[in-house]
Each structure stands twice: as C-alpha cells, then as structure tokens.
Amino acid sequence: MNVLVVGRGGREHALCYKFYQDASVSRVFCAPGNAGIAAHAECLDIEETDQHALVSFAKENDIALTVIGPEQPLAEGLTDLFLAEGLKVFGPTQEASAIEGSKAFAKELMKKYSIPTAGYETFTSFQEASDYIKKKGAPIVIKADGLAAGKGVVVAMTEAEALEAAEGMLEHNRFGASSAKIVVEDFLDGEEFSFMCLVNEETIIPLALAQDHKRAYDNDKGPNTGGMGAYSPVAHLPSATEDKAMNEIIKPVVQAMIKEGTPFTGVLYAGLILTEDGPKVIEFNARFGDPETQVVLHRMKSDLAQLLLNLLEDKTEEVKWSDHTVVGVVLASEGYPGSYEKGHSVESILNAETFFYHAGTKKVDSQIVADGGRVLLAAGSGKNVEAARDQVYDALNHVDASHFFYRKDIGNKALNRS
Ligand code: AMP
Ligand code: GLY
C-alpha cells in the first residue's frame, strides 16, 4: 500500500521510518517532510495546512492510509475533509481534537466523567483569576486554554509568579487568542509519564509507555519546551500503573467522547502524573507525542500501517515490541525555546555513530542545516536505560555540537529509581 504522513518534525520522521520498514507498505509520502525524512519517504511540496492539495494528492496517488502528525491541521479539520472524500485517515475530527485544542473542554469532560485530574477553575477576567490565585496560594499551575506549542503552561512556585503569568496571558495576550481564557489548576506532585493509545471510537490499542523531559535544561531546570528527550519503556513504574491508567483514564475518556457525540479516532495521548492517589491526567493530546513517538516506534516490531488499517476496521492485536530500551536525546538550536538562529550545518553531528531522527532540518546546496528549534533526536538503544543512554551519549560526545545544545541527563530518573 501507499501511505501519506502529514507534517515535518521528528515525530513524522519516526512515522515515515516505521512505514518505510513495514512489509505492507510500498511507497511512503510525506507532506512536506524535512531533510532527514527524505531518506525514508518521498517529500512533497505541500504544506500541512493545504487541505485541498493533500486530498487531491491522496486521491491521485492511491493512498491507502493517511496519518496526520501535528495538532494544527487536526484542529483545522483536515480529518473531516479526508473522511468526507471517502479517504482512510488516522486522526481525530475537528470536534474530537478539542480534547487537546481546548484545555477547558478537556477539564470539563474529566470533571463530568470523574476522570482523575487536578482541581481547577477557568477564567477570562484577570481580576477573578487573581482573587482565586490569592485564595489558593502557591504552588499553582496557570495554563493557556488553547494551543501554544507546549509553552502555554507556567508551574508557579510563588503567588507572584502565578499572578504574573495570569496577567501576561489575560491582559497582555501572551499567546494571542489561545490565552484569552486560562485554566488555573492545583499543583500535582509525582512522576510524569506519557501513555499513547491508538483508538478507533471504542477500540483501543495501547502503546508502550514513555517518559518525556519537558524542561530545557538538565535536572528539569529552565523553561518548558516541546520535549528535550524521552525514553521507552518506563520499566521502574509500579506494574499496576498501566492497568490503572487504562481502566480509570483511557477507557472512561474514550466512552465519554462517544457519549458526548464526538467519538475519538486517532492517537489519544495522555500526559499522566503518578500521584500518591494513583495516576492523574496532566493533559491530553489528540496526536502522537514528540519526542515520545521516536523512542516508542523505534522499538515497534509490528507492521504499523497494517495495524492502523485493521484498527480502522475495529480489529485489534497485541503490539510486538523489541525488548530493548530506547533513549532519545533532542539537539536544539541555542536559544530554544526562545529565539534562535537557523541555518547552521548539522553535518558534523550526523557523523555520530547513532541513529538520528530529523526534527527541523533542510538541505541547502549539499549541506543539511538546522531549520527549527528542535533540530535532531539522537536515538540510542540498549538492553536497559543505562546501556541505551551510554550508547547515545558516547556517540554525541565525539562530535562538535556548537550552535546547538542538548540535555545530558535523559533517562537519569529511571536510573535513580531502579
Ligand atoms: P502541559 O502542557 O499541560 O503538559 O504542561 C506542561 C508541564 O507542566 C507538564 O509536563 C508538567 O510538568 C507541568 N504541569 C502541568 N500541569 C501540572 C499540574 N497540575 N501540577 C504539576 N505540574 C504540572
Ligand atoms: N512531548 C509532548 C507532546 O508531544 O506534547
């Protein structure tokens, strides 16, 4: 079959590389892709947001399955258009993708269906938000309601910090329309992990757990980013954790979406935190996580394209995994998640002896150069976290990564705990 992946980041590279290896797939296309994706897929000169060009391409090229990577085209209704045209697509409808696109929608849904998450209130007035923050005290969490590329959350350890964040969002349009409404949430303490499930309305196929590293610098310091590294599986979590998350969170949410008249098909990504009272939801995403997808799919032995096509017909199967652990380290442009320069060559980094997923690269003349904040993800593999981590850092230690930075502690939480 021919498959089409929509997007241009590391997550889409992981999808393309997996499809490239799947026995059921003959041709992989990616719109628009990047310099690394070009090694595993035919990159198209079509933007993620160009709905009509994507549909025409899928029709004219006998595309059996389209997978939409990023949240933006989902929120804009790309899935709806594919479905209306009778095309097979793996991704939620515009309405169902509100589980990610509006934190207020997700929180109300969880409240209504008693799904464990932090207590909260929503605000559009700074005066009311500030009264509430003063009443609750710190630590407290301030979140922009809409999409903000993983940057619209402030975990405030002081009341002053919380007030400043709320003021920036509500009074100074810090994230434009995305922060015209905010969610103010209780602070939860515990270990975070990511649970992605492939879903078709009622049918659920769980993927292996992963752990992201959201802060920019070592020891979880610095600003929140889209994710600076990940590993999978997360072997040190108590063994009942995954079952509890499935029974108390994933299944109830999937049922809730059906009851609300917005059944969910696509990747339901639950960002969870393991508190003393069990796993609770930090956020939902309506798509594959980035960088979690790179480390999870790197271990997948099953044929993903076939698995997804079968799922769209409500056929489930158990996913087969490599028993290796994969540790992925993101190389980002200096300055990210703030402003950064583009255009520096990554050729010397690519000499490192490990596999690279490309997140933000393009080819200029014969050189591959950085074209984004997150640029590459180096993937190391080994019999446990320690071995995988050593492999990837040994490889990176031998190359010149000036103009870029990466965290040196990806996976350390697992080592300290096991
Ligand atoms: P989000 O974009 O909602 O995933 O939030 C980004 C990060 O902020 C999460 O990965 C957590 O580390 C942190 N965070 C969000 N909500 C809470 C909360 N209620 N309690 C503690 N930390 C949180
Ligand atoms: N790594 C977090 C996300 O994909 O939103």
Side-chain angles (χ1 to χ4, degrees), residues 111-355:
K111 193 185 259 181
K112 182 166 172 189
Y113 293 91
S114 305
I115 291 157
T117 188
Y120 76 103
E121 290 291 338
T122 53
F123 298 96
T124 50
S125 137
F126 174 60
Q127 191 52 51
E128 287 170 22
S130 107
D131 290 346
Y132 180 77
I133 291 165
K134 286 179 189 152
K135 191 177 87 197
K136 291 292 254 184
I140 194 159
V141 182
I142 315 295
K143 299 185 172 186
D145 176 54
L147 297 174
K151 294 163 204 159
V153 174
V154 175
V155 180
M157 299 317 280
T158 64
E159 202 175 286
E161 217 183 321
L163 291 171
E164 190 188 315
E167 189 175 6
M169 291 188 200
L170 291 173
E171 303 270 273
H172 307 301
N173 295 320
R174 173 103 166 69
F175 299 102
S178 285
S179 69
K181 193 194 277 182
I182 64 168
V183 171
V184 180
E185 189 172 279
D186 297 346
F187 173 82
L188 297 176
D189 199 18
E191 185 156 1
E192 285 183 56
F193 61 103
S194 309
F195 190 18
M196 297 189 281
C197 292
L198 308 174
V199 175
N200 181 25
E201 302 200 352
E202 253 183 315
T203 313
I204 304 169
I205 301 178
L207 299 182
L209 300 182
Q211 193 165 55
D212 190 11
H213 296 64
K214 285 220 169 81
R215 299 296 192 111
Y217 314 129
D218 285 7
N219 301 316
D220 294 333
K221 297 281 190 298
N224 264 319
T225 69
M228 292 298 294
Y231 64 94
S232 179
V234 191
H236 64 277
L237 292 178
S239 58
T241 309
E242 184 172 336
D243 284 348
K244 253 177 123 71
M246 177 55 83
N247 292 326
E248 293 172 16
I249 294 166
I250 303 291
K251 283 183 182 166
V253 170
V254 160
Q255 289 302 329
M257 292 297 274
I258 293 170
K259 288 198 193 107
E260 293 296 307
T262 53
F264 189 94
T265 293
V267 180
L268 181 64
Y269 165 126
L272 304 176
I273 187 160
L274 186 55
T275 69
E276 283 178 351
D277 306 327
K280 293 191 179 183
V281 176
I282 294 274
E283 66 163 348
F284 285 115
N285 291 324
R287 49 166 177 84
F288 282 103
D290 188 338
E292 290 93 330
T293 302
Q294 291 88 313
V295 296
V296 168
L297 292 188
H298 207 76
R299 297 181 52 237
M300 188 188 276
K301 286 179 159 177
S302 307
D303 186 308
L304 178 64
Q306 198 57 58
L307 189 83
L308 293 178
L309 271 191
N310 290 348
L311 175 61
L312 291 177
E313 291 171 9
D314 282 329
K315 286 185 249 165
T316 56
E317 59 198 91
E318 202 163 318
V319 181
K320 294 193 188 67
W321 301 102
S322 145
D323 52 18
H324 271 192
T325 294
V326 174
V327 172
V329 177
V330 169
L331 290 99
S333 298
E334 257 168 19
Y336 173 81
S339 59
Y340 52 83
E341 289 176 5
K342 291 182 178 179
H344 293 290
S345 171
V346 298
E347 292 289 347
S348 68
I349 298 176
L350 293 175
N351 287 330
E353 285 188 14
T354 197
F355 187 87

